[in-house]
Amino acid sequence: MNFQPIVPDDGALLLQLRKGDRIAFDELFNRFAEPIHTYVKMRLNGSEEADDVLQEVFIRLWNKRQSIVIHTSFRNYLYTIVQHCICDHQRASKRKRYTLTAEMPEHTEERPQPDEQYQYKQAYSIWRSATNKLPGQMRRIYAMKNEEQLSVKEIASELQLSEQTVKNQLHTAGQRIVKMLRQVQMFF
């Protein structure tokens, strides 16, 4: 007689996961990690950051384990988490692209010329000066959004403000910074 091991279905694993069962979590990871990783790599055009997104998917699954409500199937629920993680990753990547850092980013094709490095440092200095001239709370909100890369919701929660107030402050901060940069005719 040939005995097959009994493999719990996704629903049974989900019930165990809700109770904090790490073995159930590991089993779900083993079942879904490879197809999710393949999908994320395809969506991010083969990006090496697919590993980070995969990790975030399962961190969210673990963190939300007690409040999971499945309306269709566990696969659909997991797919929704994957979609949210990919979108969050893409938003964070865009923010990083438009945020100046103290050091000029390295170019993969060639080393920046000294005059480019100087111009970049000047631009950074002017941008930093402009952000430092913002009023206290506005400066804090701007820094939380652009340097700490927190969402509007996270900022509102941390500062105990409404999300609309945070959005208004960010909009006004952006306008003021652009105005200050125009005065030095750096970018516009």
Side-chain angles (χ1 to χ4, degrees), residues 35-57 82-94 97:
I36 289 172
H37 190 259
T38 302
Y39 176 75
V40 171
K41 279 182 81 170
M42 181 187 72
R43 284 284 311 275
L44 298 178
N45 297 322
S47 171
E48 296 172 4
E49 295 167 342
D51 294 341
D52 296 338
V53 173
L54 176 68
Q55 183 178 11
E56 181 60 29
V57 167
V82 170
Q83 292 302 108
H84 286 272
C85 288
I86 289 171
C87 289
D88 291 348
H89 172 77
Q90 289 172 328
R91 269 194 299 274
S93 293
K94 280 183 182 177
R97 240 183 305 177

PDB file of all heavy atoms in Angstrom, residues 35-57 82-94 97:
ATOM      1  N   PRO A  35       6.440  31.196  -7.131  1.00  0.00           N
ATOM      2  CA  PRO A  35       5.610  31.846  -8.162  1.00  0.00           C
ATOM      3  C   PRO A  35       5.465  33.356  -7.940  1.00  0.00           C
ATOM      4  O   PRO A  35       5.428  34.120  -8.906  1.00  0.00           O
ATOM      5  CB  PRO A  35       4.259  31.133  -8.070  1.00  0.00           C
ATOM      6  CG  PRO A  35       4.300  30.280  -6.868  1.00  0.00           C
ATOM      7  CD  PRO A  35       5.716  30.131  -6.439  1.00  0.00           C
ATOM      8  N   ILE A  36       5.400  33.777  -6.683  1.00  0.00           N
ATOM      9  CA  ILE A  36       5.304  35.219  -6.416  1.00  0.00           C
ATOM     10  C   ILE A  36       6.588  35.908  -6.855  1.00  0.00           C
ATOM     11  O   ILE A  36       6.550  36.954  -7.501  1.00  0.00           O
ATOM     12  CB  ILE A  36       5.016  35.489  -4.918  1.00  0.00           C
ATOM     13  CG1 ILE A  36       3.589  35.080  -4.581  1.00  0.00           C
ATOM     14  CG2 ILE A  36       5.243  36.962  -4.579  1.00  0.00           C
ATOM     15  CD1 ILE A  36       3.271  35.133  -3.098  1.00  0.00           C
ATOM     16  N   HIS A  37       7.726  35.322  -6.519  1.00  0.00           N
ATOM     17  CA  HIS A  37       9.021  35.914  -6.888  1.00  0.00           C
ATOM     18  C   HIS A  37       9.135  36.044  -8.406  1.00  0.00           C
ATOM     19  O   HIS A  37       9.558  37.088  -8.919  1.00  0.00           O
ATOM     20  CB  HIS A  37      10.156  35.065  -6.321  1.00  0.00           C
ATOM     21  CG  HIS A  37      11.490  35.714  -6.445  1.00  0.00           C
ATOM     22  ND1 HIS A  37      12.387  35.366  -7.421  1.00  0.00           N
ATOM     23  CD2 HIS A  37      12.066  36.710  -5.714  1.00  0.00           C
ATOM     24  CE1 HIS A  37      13.469  36.116  -7.278  1.00  0.00           C
ATOM     25  NE2 HIS A  37      13.302  36.937  -6.262  1.00  0.00           N
ATOM     26  N   THR A  38       8.741  35.004  -9.122  1.00  0.00           N
ATOM     27  CA  THR A  38       8.778  35.038 -10.591  1.00  0.00           C
ATOM     28  C   THR A  38       7.884  36.151 -11.123  1.00  0.00           C
ATOM     29  O   THR A  38       8.285  36.916 -12.009  1.00  0.00           O
ATOM     30  CB  THR A  38       8.330  33.676 -11.159  1.00  0.00           C
ATOM     31  OG1 THR A  38       9.194  32.658 -10.642  1.00  0.00           O
ATOM     32  CG2 THR A  38       8.363  33.667 -12.674  1.00  0.00           C
ATOM     33  N   TYR A  39       6.684  36.267 -10.579  1.00  0.00           N
ATOM     34  CA  TYR A  39       5.745  37.293 -11.011  1.00  0.00           C
ATOM     35  C   TYR A  39       6.286  38.695 -10.727  1.00  0.00           C
ATOM     36  O   TYR A  39       6.233  39.583 -11.585  1.00  0.00           O
ATOM     37  CB  TYR A  39       4.401  37.078 -10.312  1.00  0.00           C
ATOM     38  CG  TYR A  39       3.396  38.159 -10.627  1.00  0.00           C
ATOM     39  CD1 TYR A  39       2.754  38.203 -11.864  1.00  0.00           C
ATOM     40  CD2 TYR A  39       3.088  39.141  -9.685  1.00  0.00           C
ATOM     41  CE1 TYR A  39       1.846  39.202 -12.151  1.00  0.00           C
ATOM     42  CE2 TYR A  39       2.179  40.136  -9.968  1.00  0.00           C
ATOM     43  CZ  TYR A  39       1.564  40.162 -11.205  1.00  0.00           C
ATOM     44  OH  TYR A  39       0.666  41.164 -11.491  1.00  0.00           O
ATOM     45  N   VAL A  40       6.834  38.889  -9.532  1.00  0.00           N
ATOM     46  CA  VAL A  40       7.352  40.209  -9.154  1.00  0.00           C
ATOM     47  C   VAL A  40       8.532  40.584 -10.044  1.00  0.00           C
ATOM     48  O   VAL A  40       8.630  41.727 -10.499  1.00  0.00           O
ATOM     49  CB  VAL A  40       7.745  40.241  -7.657  1.00  0.00           C
ATOM     50  CG1 VAL A  40       8.483  41.522  -7.315  1.00  0.00           C
ATOM     51  CG2 VAL A  40       6.516  40.087  -6.782  1.00  0.00           C
ATOM     52  N   LYS A  41       9.422  39.637 -10.324  1.00  0.00           N
ATOM     53  CA  LYS A  41      10.558  39.924 -11.214  1.00  0.00           C
ATOM     54  C   LYS A  41      10.057  40.349 -12.595  1.00  0.00           C
ATOM     55  O   LYS A  41      10.609  41.263 -13.198  1.00  0.00           O
ATOM     56  CB  LYS A  41      11.467  38.702 -11.337  1.00  0.00           C
ATOM     57  CG  LYS A  41      12.420  38.555 -10.177  1.00  0.00           C
ATOM     58  CD  LYS A  41      13.326  37.369 -10.354  1.00  0.00           C
ATOM     59  CE  LYS A  41      14.463  37.742 -11.274  1.00  0.00           C
ATOM     60  NZ  LYS A  41      15.504  36.716 -11.312  1.00  0.00           N
ATOM     61  N   MET A  42       9.023  39.676 -13.070  1.00  0.00           N
ATOM     62  CA  MET A  42       8.468  40.028 -14.378  1.00  0.00           C
ATOM     63  C   MET A  42       7.892  41.445 -14.333  1.00  0.00           C
ATOM     64  O   MET A  42       8.124  42.253 -15.223  1.00  0.00           O
ATOM     65  CB  MET A  42       7.383  39.030 -14.769  1.00  0.00           C
ATOM     66  CG  MET A  42       6.762  39.304 -16.118  1.00  0.00           C
ATOM     67  SD  MET A  42       5.355  38.247 -16.450  1.00  0.00           S
ATOM     68  CE  MET A  42       4.136  38.927 -15.331  1.00  0.00           C
ATOM     69  N   ARG A  43       7.143  41.768 -13.269  1.00  0.00           N
ATOM     70  CA  ARG A  43       6.530  43.098 -13.152  1.00  0.00           C
ATOM     71  C   ARG A  43       7.567  44.203 -12.990  1.00  0.00           C
ATOM     72  O   ARG A  43       7.365  45.326 -13.435  1.00  0.00           O
ATOM     73  CB  ARG A  43       5.574  43.141 -11.959  1.00  0.00           C
ATOM     74  CG  ARG A  43       4.252  42.464 -12.164  1.00  0.00           C
ATOM     75  CD  ARG A  43       3.286  43.269 -13.037  1.00  0.00           C
ATOM     76  NE  ARG A  43       3.137  44.651 -12.657  1.00  0.00           N
ATOM     77  CZ  ARG A  43       2.303  45.106 -11.734  1.00  0.00           C
ATOM     78  NH1 ARG A  43       1.495  44.280 -11.100  1.00  0.00           N
ATOM     79  NH2 ARG A  43       2.253  46.385 -11.448  1.00  0.00           N
ATOM     80  N   LEU A  44       8.693  43.892 -12.343  1.00  0.00           N
ATOM     81  CA  LEU A  44       9.738  44.893 -12.114  1.00  0.00           C
ATOM     82  C   LEU A  44      10.855  44.782 -13.155  1.00  0.00           C
ATOM     83  O   LEU A  44      11.965  45.245 -12.923  1.00  0.00           O
ATOM     84  CB  LEU A  44      10.315  44.755 -10.698  1.00  0.00           C
ATOM     85  CG  LEU A  44       9.345  44.988  -9.554  1.00  0.00           C
ATOM     86  CD1 LEU A  44      10.031  44.773  -8.216  1.00  0.00           C
ATOM     87  CD2 LEU A  44       8.736  46.371  -9.611  1.00  0.00           C
ATOM     88  N   ASN A  45      10.540  44.154 -14.288  1.00  0.00           N
ATOM     89  CA  ASN A  45      11.497  44.001 -15.391  1.00  0.00           C
ATOM     90  C   ASN A  45      12.814  43.362 -14.938  1.00  0.00           C
ATOM     91  O   ASN A  45      13.894  43.847 -15.256  1.00  0.00           O
ATOM     92  CB  ASN A  45      11.768  45.349 -16.066  1.00  0.00           C
ATOM     93  CG  ASN A  45      10.520  45.913 -16.702  1.00  0.00           C
ATOM     94  OD1 ASN A  45       9.728  45.163 -17.266  1.00  0.00           O
ATOM     95  ND2 ASN A  45      10.331  47.214 -16.594  1.00  0.00           N
ATOM     96  N   GLY A  46      12.709  42.273 -14.199  1.00  0.00           N
ATOM     97  CA  GLY A  46      13.892  41.535 -13.788  1.00  0.00           C
ATOM     98  C   GLY A  46      14.698  42.204 -12.700  1.00  0.00           C
ATOM     99  O   GLY A  46      15.834  41.831 -12.449  1.00  0.00           O
ATOM    100  N   SER A  47      14.131  43.181 -12.050  1.00  0.00           N
ATOM    101  CA  SER A  47      14.840  43.927 -11.025  1.00  0.00           C
ATOM    102  C   SER A  47      15.309  43.021  -9.897  1.00  0.00           C
ATOM    103  O   SER A  47      14.640  42.079  -9.498  1.00  0.00           O
ATOM    104  CB  SER A  47      13.925  45.010 -10.446  1.00  0.00           C
ATOM    105  OG  SER A  47      14.507  45.601  -9.320  1.00  0.00           O
ATOM    106  N   GLU A  48      16.495  43.346  -9.401  1.00  0.00           N
ATOM    107  CA  GLU A  48      17.038  42.595  -8.266  1.00  0.00           C
ATOM    108  C   GLU A  48      16.250  42.899  -6.992  1.00  0.00           C
ATOM    109  O   GLU A  48      16.410  42.207  -5.993  1.00  0.00           O
ATOM    110  CB  GLU A  48      18.512  42.947  -8.074  1.00  0.00           C
ATOM    111  CG  GLU A  48      19.374  42.527  -9.242  1.00  0.00           C
ATOM    112  CD  GLU A  48      20.794  43.054  -9.143  1.00  0.00           C
ATOM    113  OE1 GLU A  48      21.138  43.689  -8.134  1.00  0.00           O
ATOM    114  OE2 GLU A  48      21.546  42.820 -10.093  1.00  0.00           O
ATOM    115  N   GLU A  49      15.406  43.897  -7.039  1.00  0.00           N
ATOM    116  CA  GLU A  49      14.627  44.284  -5.870  1.00  0.00           C
ATOM    117  C   GLU A  49      13.417  43.378  -5.657  1.00  0.00           C
ATOM    118  O   GLU A  49      12.665  43.551  -4.708  1.00  0.00           O
ATOM    119  CB  GLU A  49      14.215  45.736  -5.991  1.00  0.00           C
ATOM    120  CG  GLU A  49      15.420  46.649  -5.962  1.00  0.00           C
ATOM    121  CD  GLU A  49      15.106  48.064  -6.390  1.00  0.00           C
ATOM    122  OE1 GLU A  49      14.068  48.288  -7.031  1.00  0.00           O
ATOM    123  OE2 GLU A  49      15.909  48.949  -6.074  1.00  0.00           O
ATOM    124  N   ALA A  50      13.243  42.387  -6.527  1.00  0.00           N
ATOM    125  CA  ALA A  50      12.130  41.451  -6.377  1.00  0.00           C
ATOM    126  C   ALA A  50      12.231  40.707  -5.050  1.00  0.00           C
ATOM    127  O   ALA A  50      11.208  40.383  -4.440  1.00  0.00           O
ATOM    128  CB  ALA A  50      12.100  40.464  -7.542  1.00  0.00           C
ATOM    129  N   ASP A  51      13.441  40.444  -4.596  1.00  0.00           N
ATOM    130  CA  ASP A  51      13.623  39.771  -3.302  1.00  0.00           C
ATOM    131  C   ASP A  51      13.035  40.612  -2.174  1.00  0.00           C
ATOM    132  O   ASP A  51      12.388  40.077  -1.269  1.00  0.00           O
ATOM    133  CB  ASP A  51      15.115  39.518  -3.014  1.00  0.00           C
ATOM    134  CG  ASP A  51      15.749  38.536  -3.975  1.00  0.00           C
ATOM    135  OD1 ASP A  51      15.010  37.776  -4.634  1.00  0.00           O
ATOM    136  OD2 ASP A  51      16.992  38.517  -4.062  1.00  0.00           O
ATOM    137  N   ASP A  52      13.270  41.927  -2.230  1.00  0.00           N
ATOM    138  CA  ASP A  52      12.746  42.825  -1.200  1.00  0.00           C
ATOM    139  C   ASP A  52      11.222  42.835  -1.210  1.00  0.00           C
ATOM    140  O   ASP A  52      10.583  42.842  -0.157  1.00  0.00           O
ATOM    141  CB  ASP A  52      13.270  44.245  -1.400  1.00  0.00           C
ATOM    142  CG  ASP A  52      14.778  44.346  -1.228  1.00  0.00           C
ATOM    143  OD1 ASP A  52      15.360  43.465  -0.572  1.00  0.00           O
ATOM    144  OD2 ASP A  52      15.371  45.297  -1.767  1.00  0.00           O
ATOM    145  N   VAL A  53      10.648  42.865  -2.402  1.00  0.00           N
ATOM    146  CA  VAL A  53       9.188  42.883  -2.518  1.00  0.00           C
ATOM    147  C   VAL A  53       8.614  41.563  -2.001  1.00  0.00           C
ATOM    148  O   VAL A  53       7.623  41.548  -1.262  1.00  0.00           O
ATOM    149  CB  VAL A  53       8.740  43.166  -3.964  1.00  0.00           C
ATOM    150  CG1 VAL A  53       7.231  43.021  -4.107  1.00  0.00           C
ATOM    151  CG2 VAL A  53       9.191  44.550  -4.405  1.00  0.00           C
ATOM    152  N   LEU A  54       9.252  40.447  -2.360  1.00  0.00           N
ATOM    153  CA  LEU A  54       8.802  39.145  -1.879  1.00  0.00           C
ATOM    154  C   LEU A  54       8.813  39.109  -0.352  1.00  0.00           C
ATOM    155  O   LEU A  54       7.856  38.664   0.283  1.00  0.00           O
ATOM    156  CB  LEU A  54       9.687  38.030  -2.436  1.00  0.00           C
ATOM    157  CG  LEU A  54       9.380  36.627  -1.919  1.00  0.00           C
ATOM    158  CD1 LEU A  54       8.033  36.148  -2.438  1.00  0.00           C
ATOM    159  CD2 LEU A  54      10.480  35.660  -2.328  1.00  0.00           C
ATOM    160  N   GLN A  55       9.885  39.603   0.230  1.00  0.00           N
ATOM    161  CA  GLN A  55       9.985  39.634   1.690  1.00  0.00           C
ATOM    162  C   GLN A  55       8.871  40.491   2.284  1.00  0.00           C
ATOM    163  O   GLN A  55       8.239  40.115   3.268  1.00  0.00           O
ATOM    164  CB  GLN A  55      11.354  40.166   2.105  1.00  0.00           C
ATOM    165  CG  GLN A  55      11.568  40.166   3.590  1.00  0.00           C
ATOM    166  CD  GLN A  55      12.960  40.649   3.965  1.00  0.00           C
ATOM    167  OE1 GLN A  55      13.702  41.171   3.148  1.00  0.00           O
ATOM    168  NE2 GLN A  55      13.304  40.480   5.215  1.00  0.00           N
ATOM    169  N   GLU A  56       8.609  41.638   1.683  1.00  0.00           N
ATOM    170  CA  GLU A  56       7.561  42.530   2.181  1.00  0.00           C
ATOM    171  C   GLU A  56       6.190  41.857   2.113  1.00  0.00           C
ATOM    172  O   GLU A  56       5.363  42.032   3.014  1.00  0.00           O
ATOM    173  CB  GLU A  56       7.552  43.845   1.390  1.00  0.00           C
ATOM    174  CG  GLU A  56       6.518  44.835   1.840  1.00  0.00           C
ATOM    175  CD  GLU A  56       6.656  45.288   3.286  1.00  0.00           C
ATOM    176  OE1 GLU A  56       7.794  45.295   3.815  1.00  0.00           O
ATOM    177  OE2 GLU A  56       5.625  45.628   3.902  1.00  0.00           O
ATOM    178  N   VAL A  57       5.931  41.079   1.059  1.00  0.00           N
ATOM    179  CA  VAL A  57       4.654  40.368   0.921  1.00  0.00           C
ATOM    180  C   VAL A  57       4.431  39.470   2.135  1.00  0.00           C
ATOM    181  O   VAL A  57       3.368  39.490   2.767  1.00  0.00           O
ATOM    182  CB  VAL A  57       4.615  39.533  -0.378  1.00  0.00           C
ATOM    183  CG1 VAL A  57       3.447  38.555  -0.367  1.00  0.00           C
ATOM    184  CG2 VAL A  57       4.543  40.444  -1.595  1.00  0.00           C
ATOM    185  N   VAL A  82       0.458  41.177  -2.996  1.00  0.00           N
ATOM    186  CA  VAL A  82       1.572  41.308  -3.947  1.00  0.00           C
ATOM    187  C   VAL A  82       1.421  42.597  -4.750  1.00  0.00           C
ATOM    188  O   VAL A  82       2.379  43.364  -4.899  1.00  0.00           O
ATOM    189  CB  VAL A  82       1.653  40.080  -4.892  1.00  0.00           C
ATOM    190  CG1 VAL A  82       2.633  40.323  -6.021  1.00  0.00           C
ATOM    191  CG2 VAL A  82       2.019  38.823  -4.109  1.00  0.00           C
ATOM    192  N   GLN A  83       0.217  42.855  -5.250  1.00  0.00           N
ATOM    193  CA  GLN A  83      -0.025  44.062  -6.044  1.00  0.00           C
ATOM    194  C   GLN A  83       0.261  45.320  -5.224  1.00  0.00           C
ATOM    195  O   GLN A  83       0.890  46.257  -5.703  1.00  0.00           O
ATOM    196  CB  GLN A  83      -1.467  44.093  -6.562  1.00  0.00           C
ATOM    197  CG  GLN A  83      -1.763  43.029  -7.587  1.00  0.00           C
ATOM    198  CD  GLN A  83      -0.848  43.118  -8.786  1.00  0.00           C
ATOM    199  OE1 GLN A  83       0.028  42.287  -8.966  1.00  0.00           O
ATOM    200  NE2 GLN A  83      -1.013  44.126  -9.597  1.00  0.00           N
ATOM    201  N   HIS A  84      -0.187  45.337  -3.973  1.00  0.00           N
ATOM    202  CA  HIS A  84       0.047  46.496  -3.115  1.00  0.00           C
ATOM    203  C   HIS A  84       1.547  46.687  -2.855  1.00  0.00           C
ATOM    204  O   HIS A  84       2.046  47.819  -2.883  1.00  0.00           O
ATOM    205  CB  HIS A  84      -0.705  46.360  -1.786  1.00  0.00           C
ATOM    206  CG  HIS A  84      -2.176  46.570  -1.908  1.00  0.00           C
ATOM    207  ND1 HIS A  84      -2.773  47.794  -1.808  1.00  0.00           N
ATOM    208  CD2 HIS A  84      -3.177  45.694  -2.147  1.00  0.00           C
ATOM    209  CE1 HIS A  84      -4.075  47.679  -1.976  1.00  0.00           C
ATOM    210  NE2 HIS A  84      -4.349  46.407  -2.184  1.00  0.00           N
ATOM    211  N   CYS A  85       2.248  45.601  -2.623  1.00  0.00           N
ATOM    212  CA  CYS A  85       3.690  45.693  -2.360  1.00  0.00           C
ATOM    213  C   CYS A  85       4.443  46.201  -3.591  1.00  0.00           C
ATOM    214  O   CYS A  85       5.376  47.010  -3.474  1.00  0.00           O
ATOM    215  CB  CYS A  85       4.252  44.342  -1.913  1.00  0.00           C
ATOM    216  SG  CYS A  85       3.755  43.868  -0.248  1.00  0.00           S
ATOM    217  N   ILE A  86       4.056  45.740  -4.765  1.00  0.00           N
ATOM    218  CA  ILE A  86       4.698  46.204  -6.000  1.00  0.00           C
ATOM    219  C   ILE A  86       4.443  47.702  -6.181  1.00  0.00           C
ATOM    220  O   ILE A  86       5.366  48.469  -6.469  1.00  0.00           O
ATOM    221  CB  ILE A  86       4.193  45.403  -7.222  1.00  0.00           C
ATOM    222  CG1 ILE A  86       4.745  43.976  -7.184  1.00  0.00           C
ATOM    223  CG2 ILE A  86       4.591  46.092  -8.532  1.00  0.00           C
ATOM    224  CD1 ILE A  86       4.132  43.053  -8.216  1.00  0.00           C
ATOM    225  N   CYS A  87       3.202  48.137  -5.984  1.00  0.00           N
ATOM    226  CA  CYS A  87       2.874  49.561  -6.124  1.00  0.00           C
ATOM    227  C   CYS A  87       3.642  50.400  -5.105  1.00  0.00           C
ATOM    228  O   CYS A  87       4.181  51.462  -5.447  1.00  0.00           O
ATOM    229  CB  CYS A  87       1.379  49.785  -5.968  1.00  0.00           C
ATOM    230  SG  CYS A  87       0.420  49.158  -7.360  1.00  0.00           S
ATOM    231  N   ASP A  88       3.695  49.935  -3.865  1.00  0.00           N
ATOM    232  CA  ASP A  88       4.434  50.665  -2.830  1.00  0.00           C
ATOM    233  C   ASP A  88       5.911  50.762  -3.196  1.00  0.00           C
ATOM    234  O   ASP A  88       6.541  51.804  -3.014  1.00  0.00           O
ATOM    235  CB  ASP A  88       4.283  49.988  -1.468  1.00  0.00           C
ATOM    236  CG  ASP A  88       2.877  50.109  -0.904  1.00  0.00           C
ATOM    237  OD1 ASP A  88       2.077  50.898  -1.456  1.00  0.00           O
ATOM    238  OD2 ASP A  88       2.583  49.401   0.084  1.00  0.00           O
ATOM    239  N   HIS A  89       6.459  49.681  -3.710  1.00  0.00           N
ATOM    240  CA  HIS A  89       7.868  49.673  -4.112  1.00  0.00           C
ATOM    241  C   HIS A  89       8.110  50.670  -5.245  1.00  0.00           C
ATOM    242  O   HIS A  89       9.091  51.423  -5.218  1.00  0.00           O
ATOM    243  CB  HIS A  89       8.282  48.263  -4.557  1.00  0.00           C
ATOM    244  CG  HIS A  89       9.636  48.210  -5.159  1.00  0.00           C
ATOM    245  ND1 HIS A  89      10.784  48.255  -4.398  1.00  0.00           N
ATOM    246  CD2 HIS A  89      10.033  48.172  -6.448  1.00  0.00           C
ATOM    247  CE1 HIS A  89      11.824  48.234  -5.202  1.00  0.00           C
ATOM    248  NE2 HIS A  89      11.400  48.175  -6.439  1.00  0.00           N
ATOM    249  N   GLN A  90       7.222  50.681  -6.226  1.00  0.00           N
ATOM    250  CA  GLN A  90       7.389  51.602  -7.353  1.00  0.00           C
ATOM    251  C   GLN A  90       7.259  53.053  -6.903  1.00  0.00           C
ATOM    252  O   GLN A  90       8.000  53.915  -7.363  1.00  0.00           O
ATOM    253  CB  GLN A  90       6.380  51.261  -8.457  1.00  0.00           C
ATOM    254  CG  GLN A  90       6.720  49.960  -9.148  1.00  0.00           C
ATOM    255  CD  GLN A  90       5.645  49.478 -10.111  1.00  0.00           C
ATOM    256  OE1 GLN A  90       4.452  49.709  -9.901  1.00  0.00           O
ATOM    257  NE2 GLN A  90       6.056  48.790 -11.154  1.00  0.00           N
ATOM    258  N   ARG A  91       6.333  53.336  -5.986  1.00  0.00           N
ATOM    259  CA  ARG A  91       6.201  54.692  -5.462  1.00  0.00           C
ATOM    260  C   ARG A  91       7.465  55.106  -4.713  1.00  0.00           C
ATOM    261  O   ARG A  91       7.956  56.215  -4.873  1.00  0.00           O
ATOM    262  CB  ARG A  91       4.992  54.793  -4.526  1.00  0.00           C
ATOM    263  CG  ARG A  91       3.718  55.195  -5.215  1.00  0.00           C
ATOM    264  CD  ARG A  91       2.653  55.603  -4.218  1.00  0.00           C
ATOM    265  NE  ARG A  91       2.287  54.548  -3.302  1.00  0.00           N
ATOM    266  CZ  ARG A  91       1.381  53.615  -3.545  1.00  0.00           C
ATOM    267  NH1 ARG A  91       0.745  53.617  -4.693  1.00  0.00           N
ATOM    268  NH2 ARG A  91       1.100  52.692  -2.658  1.00  0.00           N
ATOM    269  N   ALA A  92       7.988  54.209  -3.903  1.00  0.00           N
ATOM    270  CA  ALA A  92       9.207  54.514  -3.145  1.00  0.00           C
ATOM    271  C   ALA A  92      10.383  54.751  -4.093  1.00  0.00           C
ATOM    272  O   ALA A  92      11.202  55.649  -3.861  1.00  0.00           O
ATOM    273  CB  ALA A  92       9.531  53.384  -2.173  1.00  0.00           C
ATOM    274  N   SER A  93      10.450  53.984  -5.165  1.00  0.00           N
ATOM    275  CA  SER A  93      11.528  54.174  -6.144  1.00  0.00           C
ATOM    276  C   SER A  93      11.432  55.537  -6.814  1.00  0.00           C
ATOM    277  O   SER A  93      12.440  56.206  -7.022  1.00  0.00           O
ATOM    278  CB  SER A  93      11.482  53.081  -7.220  1.00  0.00           C
ATOM    279  OG  SER A  93      11.789  51.838  -6.672  1.00  0.00           O
ATOM    280  N   LYS A  94      10.217  55.961  -7.133  1.00  0.00           N
ATOM    281  CA  LYS A  94      10.029  57.283  -7.737  1.00  0.00           C
ATOM    282  C   LYS A  94      10.452  58.375  -6.767  1.00  0.00           C
ATOM    283  O   LYS A  94      11.097  59.339  -7.147  1.00  0.00           O
ATOM    284  CB  LYS A  94       8.566  57.498  -8.142  1.00  0.00           C
ATOM    285  CG  LYS A  94       8.187  56.856  -9.428  1.00  0.00           C
ATOM    286  CD  LYS A  94       6.752  57.192  -9.781  1.00  0.00           C
ATOM    287  CE  LYS A  94       6.350  56.502 -11.066  1.00  0.00           C
ATOM    288  NZ  LYS A  94       4.947  56.750 -11.395  1.00  0.00           N
ATOM    289  N   ARG A  97      14.119  58.721  -6.622  1.00  0.00           N
ATOM    290  CA  ARG A  97      14.648  59.360  -7.819  1.00  0.00           C
ATOM    291  C   ARG A  97      14.578  60.871  -7.738  1.00  0.00           C
ATOM    292  O   ARG A  97      15.421  61.574  -8.273  1.00  0.00           O
ATOM    293  CB  ARG A  97      13.839  58.908  -9.034  1.00  0.00           C
ATOM    294  CG  ARG A  97      14.662  58.212 -10.068  1.00  0.00           C
ATOM    295  CD  ARG A  97      13.835  57.856 -11.255  1.00  0.00           C
ATOM    296  NE  ARG A  97      12.697  57.064 -10.814  1.00  0.00           N
ATOM    297  CZ  ARG A  97      11.740  56.640 -11.588  1.00  0.00           C
ATOM    298  NH1 ARG A  97      11.743  56.927 -12.842  1.00  0.00           N
ATOM    299  NH2 ARG A  97      10.743  55.937 -11.118  1.00  0.00           N
TER     300      ARG A  97
END
